[in-house]
Amino acid sequence: MHRLAERVHVIEKSKIEESLVVLERRPEIISLGAGEPDFPAPKNVVEFANKMLKKGFTHYSPLQGRHELREALTKKLKKENKIDVSPDEIVITCGSKEALLLSMLTVIDKGQNVIIPDPGYVAYRPIVQLIDGIPKHLHLREEDGFAIHPEQLKKLIDEKTRAIVINTPSNPTGTVLKKKILEEIADIAVDRNLIIICDEAYEKLIYDDAKHVSIAGLNGMMKHVITTQTFSKSYAMCGFRVGYAVAAADVIKEMKEFKICTTLSPPTAYQLAAVEALKNSDKYVQKMRKEYNRRRKLIVRRLDEIQKTRCIKPEGAFYTFPNIKELEMNSKEVTDFFLKKAKVLVIPGTEFGEFGEGFVRLSYATAYEKIEKAMERIDQAIRKI
Ligand code: PLP
């Protein structure tokens, strides 16, 4: 047995990883566990990437990322997010996950508190702990539609608090934070001199009348916010590993320096392919969104019909987060029950923090027909209890 560093214990064994192993061996199981689009990357982007590789773009990129991509992003950020920045205020990263890590490395000191949403994306807690920060879990409640309650947020802030992580649209709940709530969070951050790290990985996956609002685009907020975005979800380009962070130039400069210790940069040809995605993939994004929406309606309708499950209608991302408390099992037991009796894989809510207890996450990044079948199987299994 090797003697390993203390920090290996920060990473808890993930049910998600366990599930992927189960899936590999048991093809009869329908997975509603997916955390990535089931669509392929846009054809034009794949072709463009191949062309760039053939042309010889097989070398390192500058630490901050290719200038073509940063320039294209300034236009996108201004138009879609009302964030008016120069290329110096953007750093290209290996997915937004690296952007989150670099953000925390740059602004959090040892022993400082970082407020993270709970239930919230699985990477926030370990990243905070790896950089010797202290995660403080903000309980997002079903009765608030899993939105941040500004008064609850205020209660968690003390003299050791340095940053607040927010995520809109949210993984795992699908909640989209309304402008009014974002304005209140912005006021709190300015008042208490806190940095907001805003994870917008699902910004383009928005349904009904919901609108994605970037907190960095609100009046005067740019200097208080680090925004992270990605090509992974909106453009179905997870495997390209192209994400980025947007913040004040002095913050970005230091984030860039840390890249010497991490990835240097995502593959050069893929950064150029991301420019192609920005220019010529709007229709494809719309097509995917339309299909996600159709699946979302199906899954929410079925969750309402099925006994003992109920669900707040999510307005973004590709997840539903139903309440399963009436089943009188905890969320891990319900996951095992669905796997055994319905042959459907879902993720226990507790994977996303202790306040995820009583809920499970069902992803609709899966074919419509498979969702139909999975929901029918869950329905039948619950009827037999
Ligand atoms: N943020 C959220 C909320 C996510 O769900 C994910 C991936 O699942 C990421 C960030 C990281 O994605 P990527 O590194 O592919 O950009």
Side-chain angles (χ1 to χ4, degrees), residues 274-308:
V275 180
E276 169 67 14
L278 287 175
K279 279 191 188 154
N280 295 315
S281 299
D282 281 359
K283 275 208 182 114
Y284 190 69
V285 173
Q286 267 176 40
K287 200 181 100 188
M288 288 190 285
R289 187 170 43 221
K290 206 168 152 202
E291 178 57 18
Y292 285 135
N293 195 16
R294 198 167 78 94
R295 299 170 184 176
R296 178 184 69 115
K297 287 182 179 156
L298 164 70
I299 207 164
V300 171
R301 176 172 58 75
R302 292 297 281 126
L303 283 168
D304 279 345
E305 285 167 1
I306 294 171
Q307 291 167 29
K308 300 182 180 173

PDB file of all heavy atoms in Angstrom, residues 274-308:
ATOM      1  N   ALA A 274     -13.806  25.984 -31.985  1.00  0.00           N
ATOM      2  CA  ALA A 274     -14.800  26.676 -31.143  1.00  0.00           C
ATOM      3  C   ALA A 274     -15.215  28.001 -31.790  1.00  0.00           C
ATOM      4  O   ALA A 274     -16.370  28.432 -31.649  1.00  0.00           O
ATOM      5  CB  ALA A 274     -14.230  26.906 -29.744  1.00  0.00           C
ATOM      6  N   VAL A 275     -14.303  28.635 -32.519  1.00  0.00           N
ATOM      7  CA  VAL A 275     -14.655  29.861 -33.244  1.00  0.00           C
ATOM      8  C   VAL A 275     -15.702  29.518 -34.311  1.00  0.00           C
ATOM      9  O   VAL A 275     -16.703  30.222 -34.485  1.00  0.00           O
ATOM     10  CB  VAL A 275     -13.414  30.515 -33.910  1.00  0.00           C
ATOM     11  CG1 VAL A 275     -13.809  31.779 -34.663  1.00  0.00           C
ATOM     12  CG2 VAL A 275     -12.344  30.821 -32.869  1.00  0.00           C
ATOM     13  N   GLU A 276     -15.481  28.411 -34.988  1.00  0.00           N
ATOM     14  CA  GLU A 276     -16.451  27.949 -35.997  1.00  0.00           C
ATOM     15  C   GLU A 276     -17.823  27.697 -35.334  1.00  0.00           C
ATOM     16  O   GLU A 276     -18.860  28.056 -35.886  1.00  0.00           O
ATOM     17  CB  GLU A 276     -15.906  26.668 -36.657  1.00  0.00           C
ATOM     18  CG  GLU A 276     -16.885  25.904 -37.543  1.00  0.00           C
ATOM     19  CD  GLU A 276     -17.283  26.645 -38.816  1.00  0.00           C
ATOM     20  OE1 GLU A 276     -16.620  27.641 -39.170  1.00  0.00           O
ATOM     21  OE2 GLU A 276     -18.286  26.230 -39.439  1.00  0.00           O
ATOM     22  N   ALA A 277     -17.809  27.112 -34.141  1.00  0.00           N
ATOM     23  CA  ALA A 277     -19.078  26.866 -33.430  1.00  0.00           C
ATOM     24  C   ALA A 277     -19.796  28.189 -33.181  1.00  0.00           C
ATOM     25  O   ALA A 277     -21.010  28.303 -33.408  1.00  0.00           O
ATOM     26  CB  ALA A 277     -18.815  26.136 -32.116  1.00  0.00           C
ATOM     27  N   LEU A 278     -19.054  29.188 -32.733  1.00  0.00           N
ATOM     28  CA  LEU A 278     -19.678  30.494 -32.442  1.00  0.00           C
ATOM     29  C   LEU A 278     -20.273  31.111 -33.706  1.00  0.00           C
ATOM     30  O   LEU A 278     -21.341  31.718 -33.672  1.00  0.00           O
ATOM     31  CB  LEU A 278     -18.645  31.462 -31.861  1.00  0.00           C
ATOM     32  CG  LEU A 278     -18.193  31.228 -30.423  1.00  0.00           C
ATOM     33  CD1 LEU A 278     -17.078  32.198 -30.066  1.00  0.00           C
ATOM     34  CD2 LEU A 278     -19.354  31.384 -29.448  1.00  0.00           C
ATOM     35  N   LYS A 279     -19.576  30.916 -34.814  1.00  0.00           N
ATOM     36  CA  LYS A 279     -20.003  31.580 -36.057  1.00  0.00           C
ATOM     37  C   LYS A 279     -21.157  30.859 -36.741  1.00  0.00           C
ATOM     38  O   LYS A 279     -22.056  31.499 -37.267  1.00  0.00           O
ATOM     39  CB  LYS A 279     -18.813  31.608 -37.038  1.00  0.00           C
ATOM     40  CG  LYS A 279     -17.824  32.715 -36.779  1.00  0.00           C
ATOM     41  CD  LYS A 279     -16.869  32.773 -37.966  1.00  0.00           C
ATOM     42  CE  LYS A 279     -15.725  33.722 -37.692  1.00  0.00           C
ATOM     43  NZ  LYS A 279     -14.539  33.347 -38.466  1.00  0.00           N
ATOM     44  N   ASN A 280     -21.103  29.524 -36.782  1.00  0.00           N
ATOM     45  CA  ASN A 280     -22.004  28.807 -37.699  1.00  0.00           C
ATOM     46  C   ASN A 280     -22.803  27.661 -37.083  1.00  0.00           C
ATOM     47  O   ASN A 280     -23.159  26.726 -37.799  1.00  0.00           O
ATOM     48  CB  ASN A 280     -21.173  28.252 -38.883  1.00  0.00           C
ATOM     49  CG  ASN A 280     -20.586  29.366 -39.716  1.00  0.00           C
ATOM     50  OD1 ASN A 280     -21.271  30.340 -40.034  1.00  0.00           O
ATOM     51  ND2 ASN A 280     -19.313  29.247 -40.052  1.00  0.00           N
ATOM     52  N   SER A 281     -23.085  27.709 -35.792  1.00  0.00           N
ATOM     53  CA  SER A 281     -23.817  26.566 -35.220  1.00  0.00           C
ATOM     54  C   SER A 281     -25.106  26.946 -34.509  1.00  0.00           C
ATOM     55  O   SER A 281     -25.689  26.110 -33.801  1.00  0.00           O
ATOM     56  CB  SER A 281     -22.907  25.796 -34.264  1.00  0.00           C
ATOM     57  OG  SER A 281     -21.806  25.298 -34.957  1.00  0.00           O
ATOM     58  N   ASP A 282     -25.583  28.161 -34.692  1.00  0.00           N
ATOM     59  CA  ASP A 282     -26.794  28.596 -33.988  1.00  0.00           C
ATOM     60  C   ASP A 282     -27.996  27.689 -34.252  1.00  0.00           C
ATOM     61  O   ASP A 282     -28.744  27.349 -33.339  1.00  0.00           O
ATOM     62  CB  ASP A 282     -27.159  30.034 -34.384  1.00  0.00           C
ATOM     63  CG  ASP A 282     -26.298  31.036 -33.645  1.00  0.00           C
ATOM     64  OD1 ASP A 282     -25.458  30.591 -32.837  1.00  0.00           O
ATOM     65  OD2 ASP A 282     -26.451  32.256 -33.882  1.00  0.00           O
ATOM     66  N   LYS A 283     -28.132  27.308 -35.529  1.00  0.00           N
ATOM     67  CA  LYS A 283     -29.301  26.476 -35.890  1.00  0.00           C
ATOM     68  C   LYS A 283     -29.237  25.119 -35.193  1.00  0.00           C
ATOM     69  O   LYS A 283     -30.247  24.606 -34.729  1.00  0.00           O
ATOM     70  CB  LYS A 283     -29.332  26.255 -37.413  1.00  0.00           C
ATOM     71  CG  LYS A 283     -29.998  27.375 -38.160  1.00  0.00           C
ATOM     72  CD  LYS A 283     -30.605  26.847 -39.452  1.00  0.00           C
ATOM     73  CE  LYS A 283     -31.220  28.011 -40.206  1.00  0.00           C
ATOM     74  NZ  LYS A 283     -30.541  28.297 -41.461  1.00  0.00           N
ATOM     75  N   TYR A 284     -28.039  24.570 -35.129  1.00  0.00           N
ATOM     76  CA  TYR A 284     -27.860  23.266 -34.486  1.00  0.00           C
ATOM     77  C   TYR A 284     -28.196  23.371 -32.991  1.00  0.00           C
ATOM     78  O   TYR A 284     -28.872  22.499 -32.434  1.00  0.00           O
ATOM     79  CB  TYR A 284     -26.423  22.792 -34.695  1.00  0.00           C
ATOM     80  CG  TYR A 284     -26.188  21.353 -34.295  1.00  0.00           C
ATOM     81  CD1 TYR A 284     -26.741  20.309 -35.030  1.00  0.00           C
ATOM     82  CD2 TYR A 284     -25.410  21.031 -33.182  1.00  0.00           C
ATOM     83  CE1 TYR A 284     -26.526  18.985 -34.670  1.00  0.00           C
ATOM     84  CE2 TYR A 284     -25.184  19.713 -32.808  1.00  0.00           C
ATOM     85  CZ  TYR A 284     -25.737  18.695 -33.554  1.00  0.00           C
ATOM     86  OH  TYR A 284     -25.523  17.386 -33.184  1.00  0.00           O
ATOM     87  N   VAL A 285     -27.750  24.448 -32.373  1.00  0.00           N
ATOM     88  CA  VAL A 285     -28.039  24.654 -30.949  1.00  0.00           C
ATOM     89  C   VAL A 285     -29.558  24.734 -30.742  1.00  0.00           C
ATOM     90  O   VAL A 285     -30.106  24.123 -29.822  1.00  0.00           O
ATOM     91  CB  VAL A 285     -27.333  25.932 -30.415  1.00  0.00           C
ATOM     92  CG1 VAL A 285     -27.770  26.256 -28.996  1.00  0.00           C
ATOM     93  CG2 VAL A 285     -25.823  25.777 -30.472  1.00  0.00           C
ATOM     94  N   GLN A 286     -30.211  25.466 -31.635  1.00  0.00           N
ATOM     95  CA  GLN A 286     -31.679  25.602 -31.523  1.00  0.00           C
ATOM     96  C   GLN A 286     -32.379  24.260 -31.670  1.00  0.00           C
ATOM     97  O   GLN A 286     -33.336  23.962 -30.964  1.00  0.00           O
ATOM     98  CB  GLN A 286     -32.177  26.503 -32.641  1.00  0.00           C
ATOM     99  CG  GLN A 286     -32.272  27.955 -32.228  1.00  0.00           C
ATOM    100  CD  GLN A 286     -32.685  28.805 -33.418  1.00  0.00           C
ATOM    101  OE1 GLN A 286     -33.526  28.414 -34.210  1.00  0.00           O
ATOM    102  NE2 GLN A 286     -32.063  29.959 -33.554  1.00  0.00           N
ATOM    103  N   LYS A 287     -31.862  23.445 -32.610  1.00  0.00           N
ATOM    104  CA  LYS A 287     -32.458  22.124 -32.855  1.00  0.00           C
ATOM    105  C   LYS A 287     -32.335  21.250 -31.596  1.00  0.00           C
ATOM    106  O   LYS A 287     -33.292  20.606 -31.168  1.00  0.00           O
ATOM    107  CB  LYS A 287     -31.727  21.472 -34.034  1.00  0.00           C
ATOM    108  CG  LYS A 287     -32.508  20.371 -34.693  1.00  0.00           C
ATOM    109  CD  LYS A 287     -31.727  19.755 -35.838  1.00  0.00           C
ATOM    110  CE  LYS A 287     -31.098  18.467 -35.380  1.00  0.00           C
ATOM    111  NZ  LYS A 287     -30.169  17.843 -36.281  1.00  0.00           N
ATOM    112  N   MET A 288     -31.160  21.281 -30.980  1.00  0.00           N
ATOM    113  CA  MET A 288     -30.957  20.469 -29.765  1.00  0.00           C
ATOM    114  C   MET A 288     -31.875  20.964 -28.645  1.00  0.00           C
ATOM    115  O   MET A 288     -32.503  20.175 -27.943  1.00  0.00           O
ATOM    116  CB  MET A 288     -29.500  20.554 -29.299  1.00  0.00           C
ATOM    117  CG  MET A 288     -28.542  19.798 -30.189  1.00  0.00           C
ATOM    118  SD  MET A 288     -26.888  19.665 -29.467  1.00  0.00           S
ATOM    119  CE  MET A 288     -26.237  21.282 -29.687  1.00  0.00           C
ATOM    120  N   ARG A 289     -31.958  22.297 -28.530  1.00  0.00           N
ATOM    121  CA  ARG A 289     -32.776  22.860 -27.451  1.00  0.00           C
ATOM    122  C   ARG A 289     -34.243  22.450 -27.610  1.00  0.00           C
ATOM    123  O   ARG A 289     -34.923  22.125 -26.643  1.00  0.00           O
ATOM    124  CB  ARG A 289     -32.630  24.379 -27.421  1.00  0.00           C
ATOM    125  CG  ARG A 289     -33.322  25.012 -26.235  1.00  0.00           C
ATOM    126  CD  ARG A 289     -32.995  26.467 -26.070  1.00  0.00           C
ATOM    127  NE  ARG A 289     -33.012  27.164 -27.328  1.00  0.00           N
ATOM    128  CZ  ARG A 289     -32.130  28.088 -27.698  1.00  0.00           C
ATOM    129  NH1 ARG A 289     -31.148  28.412 -26.892  1.00  0.00           N
ATOM    130  NH2 ARG A 289     -32.225  28.680 -28.856  1.00  0.00           N
ATOM    131  N   LYS A 290     -34.700  22.454 -28.862  1.00  0.00           N
ATOM    132  CA  LYS A 290     -36.096  22.078 -29.131  1.00  0.00           C
ATOM    133  C   LYS A 290     -36.349  20.629 -28.683  1.00  0.00           C
ATOM    134  O   LYS A 290     -37.374  20.324 -28.067  1.00  0.00           O
ATOM    135  CB  LYS A 290     -36.353  22.229 -30.632  1.00  0.00           C
ATOM    136  CG  LYS A 290     -37.780  22.492 -30.974  1.00  0.00           C
ATOM    137  CD  LYS A 290     -37.922  22.916 -32.414  1.00  0.00           C
ATOM    138  CE  LYS A 290     -39.302  22.498 -32.875  1.00  0.00           C
ATOM    139  NZ  LYS A 290     -39.414  22.372 -34.310  1.00  0.00           N
ATOM    140  N   GLU A 291     -35.410  19.770 -28.995  1.00  0.00           N
ATOM    141  CA  GLU A 291     -35.572  18.362 -28.628  1.00  0.00           C
ATOM    142  C   GLU A 291     -35.473  18.177 -27.106  1.00  0.00           C
ATOM    143  O   GLU A 291     -36.262  17.436 -26.515  1.00  0.00           O
ATOM    144  CB  GLU A 291     -34.534  17.513 -29.374  1.00  0.00           C
ATOM    145  CG  GLU A 291     -34.564  16.020 -29.032  1.00  0.00           C
ATOM    146  CD  GLU A 291     -35.909  15.338 -29.267  1.00  0.00           C
ATOM    147  OE1 GLU A 291     -36.762  15.876 -29.992  1.00  0.00           O
ATOM    148  OE2 GLU A 291     -36.105  14.250 -28.676  1.00  0.00           O
ATOM    149  N   TYR A 292     -34.547  18.872 -26.454  1.00  0.00           N
ATOM    150  CA  TYR A 292     -34.467  18.790 -24.986  1.00  0.00           C
ATOM    151  C   TYR A 292     -35.794  19.225 -24.377  1.00  0.00           C
ATOM    152  O   TYR A 292     -36.277  18.642 -23.410  1.00  0.00           O
ATOM    153  CB  TYR A 292     -33.367  19.707 -24.436  1.00  0.00           C
ATOM    154  CG  TYR A 292     -31.946  19.223 -24.619  1.00  0.00           C
ATOM    155  CD1 TYR A 292     -30.960  20.095 -25.065  1.00  0.00           C
ATOM    156  CD2 TYR A 292     -31.570  17.917 -24.312  1.00  0.00           C
ATOM    157  CE1 TYR A 292     -29.644  19.680 -25.225  1.00  0.00           C
ATOM    158  CE2 TYR A 292     -30.263  17.498 -24.470  1.00  0.00           C
ATOM    159  CZ  TYR A 292     -29.299  18.380 -24.929  1.00  0.00           C
ATOM    160  OH  TYR A 292     -27.998  17.969 -25.075  1.00  0.00           O
ATOM    161  N   ASN A 293     -36.371  20.261 -24.941  1.00  0.00           N
ATOM    162  CA  ASN A 293     -37.619  20.798 -24.407  1.00  0.00           C
ATOM    163  C   ASN A 293     -38.748  19.765 -24.501  1.00  0.00           C
ATOM    164  O   ASN A 293     -39.527  19.586 -23.569  1.00  0.00           O
ATOM    165  CB  ASN A 293     -37.985  22.079 -25.173  1.00  0.00           C
ATOM    166  CG  ASN A 293     -39.041  22.874 -24.437  1.00  0.00           C
ATOM    167  OD1 ASN A 293     -39.293  22.646 -23.246  1.00  0.00           O
ATOM    168  ND2 ASN A 293     -39.682  23.785 -25.132  1.00  0.00           N
ATOM    169  N   ARG A 294     -38.798  19.060 -25.642  1.00  0.00           N
ATOM    170  CA  ARG A 294     -39.813  18.026 -25.836  1.00  0.00           C
ATOM    171  C   ARG A 294     -39.638  16.936 -24.761  1.00  0.00           C
ATOM    172  O   ARG A 294     -40.596  16.487 -24.140  1.00  0.00           O
ATOM    173  CB  ARG A 294     -39.595  17.427 -27.236  1.00  0.00           C
ATOM    174  CG  ARG A 294     -40.749  16.671 -27.801  1.00  0.00           C
ATOM    175  CD  ARG A 294     -40.531  16.422 -29.281  1.00  0.00           C
ATOM    176  NE  ARG A 294     -39.603  15.343 -29.551  1.00  0.00           N
ATOM    177  CZ  ARG A 294     -39.953  14.075 -29.777  1.00  0.00           C
ATOM    178  NH1 ARG A 294     -41.236  13.745 -29.778  1.00  0.00           N
ATOM    179  NH2 ARG A 294     -39.063  13.138 -30.015  1.00  0.00           N
ATOM    180  N   ARG A 295     -38.398  16.562 -24.528  1.00  0.00           N
ATOM    181  CA  ARG A 295     -38.124  15.516 -23.525  1.00  0.00           C
ATOM    182  C   ARG A 295     -38.438  16.025 -22.118  1.00  0.00           C
ATOM    183  O   ARG A 295     -38.926  15.291 -21.271  1.00  0.00           O
ATOM    184  CB  ARG A 295     -36.650  15.128 -23.581  1.00  0.00           C
ATOM    185  CG  ARG A 295     -36.217  14.562 -24.901  1.00  0.00           C
ATOM    186  CD  ARG A 295     -34.718  14.462 -24.860  1.00  0.00           C
ATOM    187  NE  ARG A 295     -34.119  14.026 -26.093  1.00  0.00           N
ATOM    188  CZ  ARG A 295     -32.803  13.951 -26.269  1.00  0.00           C
ATOM    189  NH1 ARG A 295     -31.985  14.279 -25.287  1.00  0.00           N
ATOM    190  NH2 ARG A 295     -32.298  13.546 -27.405  1.00  0.00           N
ATOM    191  N   ARG A 296     -38.119  17.284 -21.873  1.00  0.00           N
ATOM    192  CA  ARG A 296     -38.357  17.882 -20.548  1.00  0.00           C
ATOM    193  C   ARG A 296     -39.844  17.808 -20.214  1.00  0.00           C
ATOM    194  O   ARG A 296     -40.240  17.410 -19.114  1.00  0.00           O
ATOM    195  CB  ARG A 296     -37.896  19.344 -20.565  1.00  0.00           C
ATOM    196  CG  ARG A 296     -38.120  20.101 -19.271  1.00  0.00           C
ATOM    197  CD  ARG A 296     -37.721  21.547 -19.440  1.00  0.00           C
ATOM    198  NE  ARG A 296     -38.637  22.234 -20.329  1.00  0.00           N
ATOM    199  CZ  ARG A 296     -39.443  23.218 -19.984  1.00  0.00           C
ATOM    200  NH1 ARG A 296     -39.434  23.665 -18.739  1.00  0.00           N
ATOM    201  NH2 ARG A 296     -40.252  23.788 -20.847  1.00  0.00           N
ATOM    202  N   LYS A 297     -40.678  18.164 -21.212  1.00  0.00           N
ATOM    203  CA  LYS A 297     -42.126  18.147 -20.972  1.00  0.00           C
ATOM    204  C   LYS A 297     -42.601  16.738 -20.668  1.00  0.00           C
ATOM    205  O   LYS A 297     -43.419  16.525 -19.775  1.00  0.00           O
ATOM    206  CB  LYS A 297     -42.857  18.701 -22.195  1.00  0.00           C
ATOM    207  CG  LYS A 297     -42.693  20.209 -22.303  1.00  0.00           C
ATOM    208  CD  LYS A 297     -43.452  20.746 -23.470  1.00  0.00           C
ATOM    209  CE  LYS A 297     -43.279  22.252 -23.542  1.00  0.00           C
ATOM    210  NZ  LYS A 297     -43.493  22.759 -24.892  1.00  0.00           N
ATOM    211  N   LEU A 298     -42.064  15.763 -21.403  1.00  0.00           N
ATOM    212  CA  LEU A 298     -42.448  14.371 -21.185  1.00  0.00           C
ATOM    213  C   LEU A 298     -42.078  13.924 -19.763  1.00  0.00           C
ATOM    214  O   LEU A 298     -42.910  13.392 -19.027  1.00  0.00           O
ATOM    215  CB  LEU A 298     -41.728  13.480 -22.218  1.00  0.00           C
ATOM    216  CG  LEU A 298     -41.714  11.985 -21.915  1.00  0.00           C
ATOM    217  CD1 LEU A 298     -43.120  11.393 -22.065  1.00  0.00           C
ATOM    218  CD2 LEU A 298     -40.739  11.240 -22.832  1.00  0.00           C
ATOM    219  N   ILE A 299     -40.870  14.167 -19.379  1.00  0.00           N
ATOM    220  CA  ILE A 299     -40.373  13.649 -18.097  1.00  0.00           C
ATOM    221  C   ILE A 299     -41.106  14.324 -16.932  1.00  0.00           C
ATOM    222  O   ILE A 299     -41.482  13.672 -15.951  1.00  0.00           O
ATOM    223  CB  ILE A 299     -38.833  13.791 -18.032  1.00  0.00           C
ATOM    224  CG1 ILE A 299     -38.193  12.742 -17.129  1.00  0.00           C
ATOM    225  CG2 ILE A 299     -38.371  15.121 -17.562  1.00  0.00           C
ATOM    226  CD1 ILE A 299     -36.682  12.603 -17.345  1.00  0.00           C
ATOM    227  N   VAL A 300     -41.380  15.623 -17.044  1.00  0.00           N
ATOM    228  CA  VAL A 300     -42.082  16.338 -15.972  1.00  0.00           C
ATOM    229  C   VAL A 300     -43.535  15.830 -15.887  1.00  0.00           C
ATOM    230  O   VAL A 300     -44.047  15.580 -14.794  1.00  0.00           O
ATOM    231  CB  VAL A 300     -42.034  17.868 -16.199  1.00  0.00           C
ATOM    232  CG1 VAL A 300     -42.947  18.596 -15.217  1.00  0.00           C
ATOM    233  CG2 VAL A 300     -40.605  18.388 -16.046  1.00  0.00           C
ATOM    234  N   ARG A 301     -44.167  15.643 -17.052  1.00  0.00           N
ATOM    235  CA  ARG A 301     -45.557  15.143 -17.057  1.00  0.00           C
ATOM    236  C   ARG A 301     -45.615  13.764 -16.397  1.00  0.00           C
ATOM    237  O   ARG A 301     -46.436  13.504 -15.536  1.00  0.00           O
ATOM    238  CB  ARG A 301     -46.079  15.069 -18.500  1.00  0.00           C
ATOM    239  CG  ARG A 301     -47.481  14.461 -18.608  1.00  0.00           C
ATOM    240  CD  ARG A 301     -48.076  14.558 -20.007  1.00  0.00           C
ATOM    241  NE  ARG A 301     -47.311  13.929 -21.066  1.00  0.00           N
ATOM    242  CZ  ARG A 301     -47.224  12.621 -21.281  1.00  0.00           C
ATOM    243  NH1 ARG A 301     -47.841  11.766 -20.484  1.00  0.00           N
ATOM    244  NH2 ARG A 301     -46.502  12.149 -22.291  1.00  0.00           N
ATOM    245  N   ARG A 302     -44.673  12.878 -16.771  1.00  0.00           N
ATOM    246  CA  ARG A 302     -44.690  11.528 -16.221  1.00  0.00           C
ATOM    247  C   ARG A 302     -44.403  11.546 -14.708  1.00  0.00           C
ATOM    248  O   ARG A 302     -45.014  10.802 -13.957  1.00  0.00           O
ATOM    249  CB  ARG A 302     -43.673  10.633 -16.951  1.00  0.00           C
ATOM    250  CG  ARG A 302     -44.032  10.338 -18.381  1.00  0.00           C
ATOM    251  CD  ARG A 302     -45.333   9.549 -18.498  1.00  0.00           C
ATOM    252  NE  ARG A 302     -45.166   8.124 -18.231  1.00  0.00           N
ATOM    253  CZ  ARG A 302     -45.863   7.432 -17.334  1.00  0.00           C
ATOM    254  NH1 ARG A 302     -46.752   8.034 -16.571  1.00  0.00           N
ATOM    255  NH2 ARG A 302     -45.667   6.148 -17.174  1.00  0.00           N
ATOM    256  N   LEU A 303     -43.494  12.412 -14.277  1.00  0.00           N
ATOM    257  CA  LEU A 303     -43.192  12.479 -12.834  1.00  0.00           C
ATOM    258  C   LEU A 303     -44.416  12.942 -12.052  1.00  0.00           C
ATOM    259  O   LEU A 303     -44.635  12.516 -10.920  1.00  0.00           O
ATOM    260  CB  LEU A 303     -42.003  13.417 -12.573  1.00  0.00           C
ATOM    261  CG  LEU A 303     -40.631  12.838 -12.902  1.00  0.00           C
ATOM    262  CD1 LEU A 303     -39.567  13.927 -12.878  1.00  0.00           C
ATOM    263  CD2 LEU A 303     -40.249  11.724 -11.918  1.00  0.00           C
ATOM    264  N   ASP A 304     -45.215  13.804 -12.668  1.00  0.00           N
ATOM    265  CA  ASP A 304     -46.447  14.250 -12.005  1.00  0.00           C
ATOM    266  C   ASP A 304     -47.472  13.131 -11.939  1.00  0.00           C
ATOM    267  O   ASP A 304     -48.212  13.002 -10.972  1.00  0.00           O
ATOM    268  CB  ASP A 304     -47.042  15.456 -12.753  1.00  0.00           C
ATOM    269  CG  ASP A 304     -46.339  16.743 -12.352  1.00  0.00           C
ATOM    270  OD1 ASP A 304     -45.626  16.723 -11.327  1.00  0.00           O
ATOM    271  OD2 ASP A 304     -46.491  17.754 -13.062  1.00  0.00           O
ATOM    272  N   GLU A 305     -47.511  12.321 -13.006  1.00  0.00           N
ATOM    273  CA  GLU A 305     -48.510  11.233 -13.058  1.00  0.00           C
ATOM    274  C   GLU A 305     -48.153  10.083 -12.123  1.00  0.00           C
ATOM    275  O   GLU A 305     -49.021   9.472 -11.527  1.00  0.00           O
ATOM    276  CB  GLU A 305     -48.586  10.687 -14.493  1.00  0.00           C
ATOM    277  CG  GLU A 305     -49.318  11.605 -15.451  1.00  0.00           C
ATOM    278  CD  GLU A 305     -49.110  11.207 -16.911  1.00  0.00           C
ATOM    279  OE1 GLU A 305     -48.405  10.202 -17.178  1.00  0.00           O
ATOM    280  OE2 GLU A 305     -49.635  11.905 -17.781  1.00  0.00           O
ATOM    281  N   ILE A 306     -46.869   9.791 -12.029  1.00  0.00           N
ATOM    282  CA  ILE A 306     -46.434   8.630 -11.237  1.00  0.00           C
ATOM    283  C   ILE A 306     -46.671   8.894  -9.746  1.00  0.00           C
ATOM    284  O   ILE A 306     -46.387   9.986  -9.253  1.00  0.00           O
ATOM    285  CB  ILE A 306     -44.933   8.328 -11.515  1.00  0.00           C
ATOM    286  CG1 ILE A 306     -44.777   7.890 -12.974  1.00  0.00           C
ATOM    287  CG2 ILE A 306     -44.387   7.286 -10.560  1.00  0.00           C
ATOM    288  CD1 ILE A 306     -43.336   7.771 -13.436  1.00  0.00           C
ATOM    289  N   GLN A 307     -47.199   7.874  -9.065  1.00  0.00           N
ATOM    290  CA  GLN A 307     -47.477   8.022  -7.636  1.00  0.00           C
ATOM    291  C   GLN A 307     -46.189   8.315  -6.862  1.00  0.00           C
ATOM    292  O   GLN A 307     -45.152   7.731  -7.141  1.00  0.00           O
ATOM    293  CB  GLN A 307     -48.017   6.710  -7.077  1.00  0.00           C
ATOM    294  CG  GLN A 307     -49.395   6.321  -7.535  1.00  0.00           C
ATOM    295  CD  GLN A 307     -49.653   4.848  -7.166  1.00  0.00           C
ATOM    296  OE1 GLN A 307     -49.114   4.340  -6.190  1.00  0.00           O
ATOM    297  NE2 GLN A 307     -50.472   4.193  -7.959  1.00  0.00           N
ATOM    298  N   LYS A 308     -46.324   9.177  -5.878  1.00  0.00           N
ATOM    299  CA  LYS A 308     -45.248   9.428  -4.903  1.00  0.00           C
ATOM    300  C   LYS A 308     -43.997  10.105  -5.466  1.00  0.00           C
ATOM    301  O   LYS A 308     -42.942  10.073  -4.839  1.00  0.00           O
ATOM    302  CB  LYS A 308     -44.855   8.125  -4.190  1.00  0.00           C
ATOM    303  CG  LYS A 308     -46.020   7.517  -3.440  1.00  0.00           C
ATOM    304  CD  LYS A 308     -45.629   6.272  -2.707  1.00  0.00           C
ATOM    305  CE  LYS A 308     -46.853   5.734  -1.992  1.00  0.00           C
ATOM    306  NZ  LYS A 308     -46.667   4.461  -1.375  1.00  0.00           N
TER     307      LYS A 308
END
